[in-house]
Amino acid sequence: MAPGKKSKRSSSSNRRRGRKDSKRLKKRRSIAVAPVDPRAVDTEWWDIFWRRNSSAAPGPIPDNEEEGFKHFFRLSKQTFAYICSLVREDLISCPPSGLINIEGRLLSVEKQVAIALRRLASGESQVSVGAAFGVGQSTVSQVTWRFIEALEDRARHHLKWPDPERAEEIKSQFEALYGLPNCCGAIDATHIIMTLPAVQTSDDWCDPANNYSMFLQGVIDHELRFLDIVTGWPGGMTVPRLLKFSGLFKLCESGARLNGPVEKTLGGGHEVAREYIVGGPAYPLLPWLITPYESSELSGSAAPNFNAAHESARLLAVRAFSQLKGSWRILSKVMWRPDKQKLPSIILVCCLLHNIVIDTGDKLNPDVALSGHHDSGYIEQCCKQVDPLGKTVRDNLAKHLMYVKEKSLIKSK
């Protein structure tokens, strides 16, 4: 059969399509991608960003550029340069196609890091972050994930359990500040709230506040630094179960962690306080995890006195989580259908950034910390699990604190 005749309409449509394709091709060819030395430090991106956003961004923006930089990125220019040095090789080793901004220039390492930090610090949508930098949503997504992968790999040394020398310094500070000998840190946990597609919802991920969430647990030192974290577990778990599934629990139970010298010179001749951390009533009382006395156990003066010191030390962890979720607001906002396999990496990188600010001598900004509790809307449960050895350690500590207090009163008379 002979082929049918092409209609004039079809022919005309093909010609128009051809002209459009030709124009697109010419337009692509006309975009000259400026050659960029990937190892060169880009100093222009900030000037452009500052001019574009210093007056347009919502909320009060500091007039001073240094303070403005910290407002947008939660860290100083010096710390920003350090972070760029950590990830530079990874970001330039195999740059993906498409990382070109609207001026036709390849994105520098500095601009990529800035985009990722702004996304993590603000928690704003990828569209909003892209508009602030003159790039598209897909670029923000791609750049942010590449940065997370790179920093997760290159900055691990900023989140580690302290060596014996560092542990002695931490214990010394906890005793000087709160009177607690041999205390190595404070522990707490928080929920990272998210929405999930209907096909992924389950009771495991639905927490007591009827949110879908992922847990983050952390041990904190006296400077609000994270020493250990565990994340990735569903928010529907109980805190004791979360603890039991953590590497921290396995290491401490096996004697591989919190195994330093035992304090044998407690005031008044009372015995033995091994290394331990302090936690809230949601945690079990263990030989290495000391929780407060319950209200029914507060007879006499030793227990209330201990609880007061314990609470002051434990609040370090509460402050650290409020600072973390306030500085890196992607963790405090409801995440829209995140990849549950990637979310732990996002959480870890925010903890790394928190620690980097401390380790570089930069200052955590208390003004950006969450004004309320980091787990607002959640009621702290009380764990009834009590290890007899843990009870002995707590009683010895309570007697020691009471002895020190009484001795101090006698001296003051």
Side-chain angles (χ1 to χ4, degrees):
M1 180 183 293
K5 293 183 179 180
K6 294 182 179 178
S7 68
K8 290 183 179 180
R9 182 179 298 173
S10 175
S11 177
S12 173
S13 175
N14 286 339
R15 283 197 298 272
R16 285 196 299 272
R17 192 180 298 113
R19 284 196 294 270
K20 288 180 180 178
D21 289 343
S22 177
K23 286 180 180 177
R24 288 195 194 100
L25 186 58
K26 288 179 180 177
K27 187 175 181 180
R28 284 185 193 138
R29 287 173 178 168
S30 68
I31 297 176
V33 178
V36 175
D37 178 0
R39 287 177 174 77
V41 176
D42 177 13
T43 58
E44 295 181 0
W45 74 269
W46 166 246
D47 295 331
I48 297 170
F49 177 89
W50 180 249
R51 286 197 301 270
R52 177 182 283 154
N53 296 281
S54 58
S55 58
I61 308 296
D63 294 330
N64 180 283
E65 280 197 37
E66 292 293 331
E67 292 301 315
F69 193 95
K70 293 196 73 169
H71 171 85
F72 284 110
F73 304 107
R74 303 297 193 247
L75 36 79
S76 67
K77 289 184 177 181
Q78 290 75 19
T79 303
F80 178 86
Y82 169 69
I83 292 171
C84 289
S85 73
L86 289 178
V87 300
R88 185 174 300 277
E89 291 300 320
D90 291 310
L91 297 188
I92 67 177
S93 58
C94 50
S97 59
L99 290 188
I100 301 172
N101 66 8
I102 57 176
E103 290 89 16
R105 291 174 60 87
L106 288 170
L107 294 181
S108 65
V109 168
E110 284 71 24
K111 191 164 183 177
Q112 291 183 57
V113 172
I115 289 170
L117 288 177
R118 184 59 187 158
R119 170 81 173 119
L120 298 174
S122 68
E124 294 173 355
S125 70
Q126 294 173 355
V127 173
S128 297
V129 173
F133 287 91
V135 299
Q137 176 185 358
S138 62
T139 299
V140 174
S141 175
Q142 190 176 180
V143 162
T144 302
W145 183 245
R146 291 179 72 237
F147 171 79
I148 287 169
E149 287 184 310
L151 198 70
E152 182 180 10
D153 184 48
R154 301 293 181 181
R156 287 273 184 168
H157 57 286
H158 284 285
L159 202 164
K160 61 182 180 180
W161 195 256
D163 59 27
E165 183 179 353
R166 174 66 179 155
E168 287 301 319
E169 180 185 347
I170 293 171
K171 290 190 291 185
S172 174
Q173 288 297 318
F174 267 94
E175 183 166 14
L177 293 169
Y178 310 109
L180 295 171
N182 248 10
C183 181
C184 296
I187 191 171
D188 203 358
T190 194
H191 293 84
I192 310 300
I193 302 174
M194 56 189 171
T195 62
L196 293 176
V199 294
Q200 294 183 22
T201 58
S202 72
D203 290 341
D204 288 339
W205 293 98
C206 186
D207 61 36
N210 290 322
N211 298 314
Y212 292 108
S213 65
M214 182 176 287
F215 255 129
L216 165 63
Q217 174 183 274
V219 178
I220 315 299
D221 73 5
H222 61 286
E223 295 179 308
L224 306 187
R225 182 186 287 103
F226 285 90
L227 304 177
D228 178 279
I229 70 163
V230 61
T231 189
W233 293 100
M237 297 173 69
T238 62
V239 170
R241 191 161 175 247
L242 171 68
L243 174 70
K244 191 171 182 179
F245 284 139
S246 69
L248 174 74
F249 181 87
K250 295 176 178 64
L251 290 168
C252 292
E253 287 291 298
S254 68
R257 185 171 287 181
L258 294 176
N259 58 356
V262 173
E263 178 63 62
K264 297 181 180 179
T265 57
L266 298 183
H270 302 298
E271 301 179 346
V272 183
R274 57 163 291 168
E275 287 187 340
Y276 60 91
I277 56 177
V278 293
Y283 283 95
L285 175 60
L286 303 171
W288 52 269
L289 201 171
I290 305 302
T291 58
Y293 287 97
E294 293 185 27
S295 56
S296 59
E297 302 173 297
L298 294 179
S299 59
S301 54
N305 183 59
F306 171 83
N307 274 12
H310 179 282
E311 181 67 4
S312 296
R314 187 185 77 87
L315 284 177
L316 285 171
V318 176
R319 284 174 53 202
F321 276 109
S322 294
Q323 186 71 48
L324 174 76
K325 295 176 82 171
S327 297
W328 309 104
R329 299 233 162 198
I330 195 169
L331 301 182
S332 62
K333 295 187 176 182
V334 179
M335 292 199 191
W336 175 253
R337 297 185 174 183
D339 184 333
K340 295 200 296 292
Q341 303 303 314
K342 291 183 176 181
L343 183 52
S345 293
I346 296 173
I347 296 170
L348 169 59
V349 162
C350 289
C351 293
L352 289 172
L353 289 167
H354 173 97
N355 280 7
I356 287 172
V357 171
I358 299 171
D359 291 344
T360 56
D362 213 341
K363 289 184 178 179
L364 295 170
N365 183 358
D367 293 337
V368 302
L370 298 181
S371 56
H373 192 274
H374 62 78
D375 235 9
S376 178
Y378 292 86
I379 299 173
E380 189 171 43
Q381 304 297 318
C382 185
C383 179
K384 298 297 184 180
Q385 180 183 341
V386 175
D387 184 299
L389 291 177
K391 186 176 185 303
T392 299
V393 172
R394 184 175 66 183
D395 289 344
N396 287 341
L397 288 169
K399 292 173 184 175
H400 167 73
L401 288 175
M402 201 63 210
Y403 171 82
V404 172
K405 183 177 181 179
E406 290 171 351
K407 191 174 180 181
S408 175
L409 289 173
I410 293 173
K411 281 186 177 181
S412 64
K413 289 181 179 179

